[in-house]
Amino acid sequence: MRIILIGYGVVGQGLTNILLRRRLENLKDYGFNPKIVAIVDRGGAAINPKGLNLEKMLTLKKHNGTVAADREFGHAQMSPLSVIESTEAEVIVEATPTNVKNGEPGLSHIKTAFKTGKHVVTTNKGPLALALPALMELADYNKVYLRFSGTVGGGTPVLELAKKCLAGDKIVAIRGILNGTTNYILTEMAEKRITFQQALDSAQKLGYAETDPSMDVDGIDPACKVVIMANWIMNKKLTLKDVKVKGIRDVTLQALEEAAKRGNTIKLIGSIDDSAEVAPTEISKHDPLCVSGVLNAVTFVSEFAGEETLIGRGAGGMETASAVLRDLLDIKYNLASKMLT
Amino acid sequence: MRIILIGYGVVGQGLTNILLRRRLENLKDYGFNPKIVAIVDRGGAAINPKGLNLEKMLTLKKHNGTVAADREFGHAQMSPLSVIESTEAEVIVEATPTNVKNGEPGLSHIKTAFKTGKHVVTTNKGPLALALPALMELADYNKVYLRFSGTVGGGTPVLELAKKCLAGDKIVAIRGILNGTTNYILTEMAEKRITFQQALDSAQKLGYAETDPSMDVDGIDPACKVVIMANWIMNKKLTLKDVKVKGIRDVTLQALEEAAKRGNTIKLIGSIDDSAEVAPTEISKHDPLCVSGVLNAVTFVSEFAGEETLIGRGAGGMETASAVLRDLLDIKYNLASKMLT
């Protein structure tokens, strides 16, 4: 399987690290022979149809800031789109940053991959939040696969649990803590009795929150995940504009303390049933969903199996890269099954 | 798919209920056409090669105590073994009660099914705890499938999460609260400040604990689940005698209160890493594993994806029956893939 990797940040580097560590191990069990033929970052591209040397790519990125510095295979300033168009490969891994305004540049990367007959694995929530129903159709039309396990829960297999582990059952509702930054802030506020601003400062100091924290604290990131789960798991044709979103800026210490008196606390909950919503919500401290710190948690309400809650870290380069690997294996497996029919 | 159902208690009846409810719905999506051709209970059997009327079976069980009361298809006193041997079917669902002394009668049911070329789905922990490595080999030898999702976590897809959702990763350790009865008792002791005996009485009154509670409180039930996970998920060839087991009879209110002072509590934890063990263990109240009441929880420690914790009810007839349905679909799917090769 020849792979083009677009975006070489923590997830992209995590993927190359995993592939290096796994090369001699159990990936063979899956008849999976991954070869990264191109990597594109902000500085340009490195391309080798025979497969790039991944140790070298990691070193170049670390010391030169870009893989385009490779003397033999580097192409400074070469654009992702021209790499996708001109390089032979079966799959692109799209791991550029999320942009919920217009989904770019990820959206164009994905569409161009489809047009040139390439499967897509992405960790980029932007294009999915804005256009998942259309992208799923476009993938079908081009007879390629679109996978995005790393967009919800990081390495925690939230989407897979719902899709692969409840056959014959029916998921009728989903609710979850889908954003680690806001969960950290709310946990800090409740436990240390500090204000939203104090907790946000602490999150920013620790690197849990961005300088512009609005994607998290205004609920946009969890809303993207709601869109992805609604489409993929519950077959609802939603996009970001269909989700009612309220962030945590207005959650007061007083409200948290009053909730505590009732044995409850306030969490930023994304929910999907008849409607799709993200809002600060009072829940019982005994609810399995009630996790603290940067953890994420999702409860699936199913018709027969009852309620299942999956908890894990919702982020991390290596963790999210492990979700990319699972998607690559899933595509490999599906292709192998199809060849047999 | 023709199915023989051995044991017609809450799980068996749950399965017939689910099949009735799903008949006109999404099971068709899986190309799955289940037909129960025989049901065996303590009173005998009902057999119809064309498929039994499941509404009628439920009614007979309720009003007559046995499906053998069926005038047309009933066979009073007919033994499970002769039904398995003489009835044509692809799969048996073995749902008789667990017996950890010698695994019977489940063990003979399973072996006889294998010998006559039938796949087995079981919810019976006894045969697996005593002989899972041998049974897995025997299934391979007879070219049939053995599935047992309902034995761990009831309807919560614990085994499936580990097997299907972490491809390319490696589970290096497992720990979990694997028994709802003992978790209820420990939760009650800690929250209501009562003794073990008082909490056990309460559990028995509510039907959470048996009159002879030793399977639960002495840790045997969770030890069976440790054996099943160790074999199925981590490929360790263990049986019950290899698990170090300590129950909760000696957990005192004082120990719980001292743990609470440290922000912790005591739970009955089953763990698998280099060794396999069940023992009362002090864990942090912030650990996602720390669930209350009758809930079960399992944490998988994986090499790349980090730690994932799955929480759900660990029991229930309908819930466990939904796990049986998943196993039937899994066998169906595997058979379909095999036909293509």
Side-chain angles (χ1 to χ4, degrees):
Chain A
M1 181 182 268
R2 293 170 298 180
I3 299 162
I4 298 170
L5 177 51
I6 311 287
Y8 202 42
V10 287
V11 175
Q13 292 173 53
L15 181 64
T16 50
N17 266 315
I18 290 181
L19 292 179
L20 282 169
R21 281 166 66 176
R22 271 285 180 267
R23 183 164 289 168
L24 297 169
E25 284 187 61
N26 67 354
L27 287 183
K28 280 185 209 148
D29 300 348
Y30 301 91
F32 178 65
N33 181 23
K35 201 158 68 174
I36 297 194
V37 294
I39 299 179
V40 188
D41 61 25
R42 280 162 210 259
I47 304 173
N48 180 359
K50 292 183 182 167
L52 292 162
N53 177 330
L54 301 181
E55 285 100 337
K56 200 174 162 199
M57 292 299 115
L58 285 164
T59 309
L60 281 170
K61 186 72 188 176
K62 195 171 167 190
H63 295 298
N64 303 63
T66 171
V67 296
D70 188 293
R71 290 202 184 184
E72 199 176 351
F73 302 111
H75 300 262
Q77 306 307 329
M78 189 170 175
S79 80
L81 290 183
S82 58
V83 174
I84 297 169
E85 278 166 350
S86 66
T87 310
E88 281 191 38
E90 281 72 44
V91 186
I92 78 157
V93 172
E94 214 290 329
T96 63
T98 292
N99 160 4
V100 292
K101 295 226 169 56
N102 58 13
E104 295 299 352
L107 190 56
S108 296
H109 298 161
I110 293 171
K111 284 194 203 162
T112 305
F114 286 172
K115 264 184 238 160
T116 56
K118 296 178 182 80
H119 310 287
V120 173
V121 175
T122 186
T123 57
N124 186 337
K125 292 176 285 280
L128 307 185
L130 297 174
L132 189 46
L135 287 173
M136 282 166 72
E137 270 187 35
L138 201 58
D140 276 350
Y141 177 81
N142 286 284
K143 298 188 172 56
V144 292
Y145 293 108
L146 171 64
R147 291 289 182 273
F148 37 81
S149 299
T151 55
V152 182
T156 312
V158 175
L159 299 181
E160 286 106 322
L161 176 71
K163 276 290 241 209
K164 297 187 175 180
C165 297
L166 291 166
D169 208 330
K170 193 157 57 179
I171 292 174
V172 294
I174 301 174
R175 54 179 188 272
I177 294 176
L178 303 167
N179 179 272
T181 307
T182 46
N183 202 40
Y184 174 83
I185 292 172
L186 292 174
T187 305
E188 286 289 292
M189 288 174 69
E191 287 181 1
K192 302 199 174 145
R193 301 189 168 188
I194 56 179
T195 64
F196 168 77
Q197 192 57 52
Q198 288 169 318
L200 174 59
D201 290 346
S202 151
Q204 283 172 326
K205 257 178 220 149
L206 289 165
Y208 294 153
E210 312 273 334
T211 317
D212 173 3
S214 58
M215 272 288 286
D216 297 318
V217 300
D218 293 327
I220 301 160
D221 172 78
C224 291
K225 292 162 180 167
V226 161
V227 169
I228 293 166
M229 291 198 289
N231 279 275
W232 186 242
I233 298 171
M234 294 177 75
N235 205 26
K236 290 176 188 273
K237 304 290 172 206
L238 303 183
T239 64
L240 195 52
K241 64 177 171 17
D242 304 309
V243 184
K244 206 175 139 192
V245 186
K246 190 172 178 345
I248 63 162
R249 287 187 200 266
D250 299 338
V251 177
T252 61
L253 182 52
Q254 194 195 346
L256 279 162
E257 287 181 341
E258 276 166 19
K261 282 180 205 155
R262 294 183 283 268
N264 298 340
T265 190
I266 297 170
K267 295 291 188 185
L268 186 62
I269 303 287
S271 59
I272 313 164
D273 39 43
D274 294 332
S275 63
E277 195 177 350
V278 172
T281 308
E282 191 170 322
I283 64 170
S284 163
K285 284 185 183 170
H286 284 299
D287 192 320
L289 206 55
C290 190
V291 293
S292 47
V294 294
L295 286 174
N296 287 21
V298 181
T299 298
F300 297 108
V301 183
S302 60
E303 190 177 349
F304 298 127
E307 300 198 353
E308 300 84 40
T309 302
L310 182 61
I311 298 168
R313 276 195 70 194
M318 189 68 106
E319 289 86 345
T320 307
S322 79
V324 171
L325 175 59
R326 295 198 303 263
D327 283 347
L328 292 170
L329 288 166
D330 188 56
I331 289 174
K332 169 75 195 171
Y333 183 81
N334 283 330
L335 291 174
S337 306
K338 245 166 80 175
M339 272 173 59
L340 298 172
T341 60
Chain B
M1 181 181 269
R2 293 169 298 179
I3 300 162
I4 298 171
L5 177 51
I6 312 286
Y8 202 43
V10 286
V11 175
Q13 292 172 53
L15 181 64
T16 49
N17 266 315
I18 290 181
L19 292 179
L20 282 169
R21 280 166 66 176
R22 271 285 180 266
R23 184 164 286 167
L24 297 168
E25 283 187 64
N26 67 354
L27 287 183
K28 280 185 211 150
D29 300 349
Y30 300 91
F32 178 65
N33 181 22
K35 200 158 69 175
I36 297 195
V37 293
I39 298 178
V40 189
D41 61 25
R42 280 163 209 257
I47 304 173
N48 181 358
K50 292 181 180 167
L52 291 164
N53 178 329
L54 301 181
E55 285 100 338
K56 200 175 161 199
M57 292 299 115
L58 285 165
T59 309
L60 282 170
K61 186 74 186 173
K62 196 171 166 190
H63 295 297
N64 302 62
T66 171
V67 295
D70 188 292
R71 291 200 184 185
E72 199 175 353
F73 302 112
H75 300 263
Q77 305 307 328
M78 189 169 175
S79 81
L81 291 183
S82 58
V83 173
I84 297 169
E85 279 166 349
S86 66
T87 310
E88 281 191 38
E90 281 72 44
V91 187
I92 78 156
V93 172
E94 214 289 330
T96 63
T98 291
N99 160 4
V100 292
K101 294 223 168 60
N102 59 12
E104 297 296 353
L107 190 56
S108 296
H109 298 161
I110 294 172
K111 285 194 205 161
T112 305
F114 286 172
K115 265 185 237 159
T116 55
K118 297 179 181 78
H119 310 288
V120 173
V121 174
T122 186
T123 57
N124 186 337
K125 292 177 284 283
L128 307 184
L130 297 175
L132 190 46
L135 287 173
M136 283 166 72
E137 270 186 36
L138 200 60
D140 277 351
Y141 177 81
N142 286 286
K143 297 189 172 58
V144 292
Y145 293 108
L146 170 64
R147 290 291 181 273
F148 37 81
S149 299
T151 56
V152 183
T156 312
V158 175
L159 299 180
E160 286 107 322
L161 176 71
K163 275 291 242 207
K164 298 187 174 179
C165 297
L166 291 166
D169 209 329
K170 193 158 53 181
I171 292 174
V172 294
I174 302 174
R175 56 180 186 271
I177 294 175
L178 303 167
N179 179 272
T181 307
T182 47
N183 202 39
Y184 174 83
I185 292 171
L186 292 173
T187 305
E188 286 288 293
M189 288 174 70
E191 287 182 0
K192 302 200 174 145
R193 302 192 167 186
I194 56 178
T195 64
F196 168 77
Q197 192 57 51
Q198 288 169 318
L200 174 60
D201 290 345
S202 151
Q204 284 173 325
K205 256 178 222 149
L206 288 165
Y208 294 153
E210 312 272 334
T211 316
D212 173 4
S214 58
M215 273 288 288
D216 297 318
V217 300
D218 293 328
I220 301 161
D221 172 79
C224 291
K225 292 161 181 169
V226 161
V227 169
I228 293 166
M229 290 198 290
N231 279 276
W232 186 242
I233 298 171
M234 294 177 77
N235 204 26
K236 291 176 187 274
K237 304 291 172 205
L238 303 183
T239 63
L240 195 53
K241 65 177 170 17
D242 304 309
V243 185
K244 207 175 138 192
V245 186
K246 190 174 179 340
I248 63 163
R249 288 188 199 265
D250 298 338
V251 176
T252 60
L253 183 53
Q254 194 195 346
L256 279 162
E257 287 181 342
E258 276 165 19
K261 282 181 203 152
R262 295 184 282 269
N264 298 340
T265 191
I266 297 170
K267 295 292 189 183
L268 185 62
I269 303 287
S271 60
I272 313 165
D273 39 43
D274 294 333
S275 63
E277 195 178 350
V278 172
T281 308
E282 191 170 321
I283 64 170
S284 163
K285 284 186 184 170
H286 284 299
D287 191 319
L289 205 54
C290 190
V291 293
S292 47
V294 294
L295 287 174
N296 286 20
V298 180
T299 298
F300 296 109
V301 183
S302 60
E303 189 176 350
F304 298 127
E307 300 196 354
E308 301 85 39
T309 303
L310 183 61
I311 298 168
R313 276 195 71 194
M318 190 67 108
E319 289 87 344
T320 307
S322 79
V324 172
L325 175 60
R326 295 198 304 262
D327 283 347
L328 292 171
L329 288 165
D330 188 55
I331 289 174
K332 168 76 196 170
Y333 183 80
N334 282 330
L335 290 175
S337 307
K338 246 167 79 174
M339 273 173 59
L340 299 172
T341 60

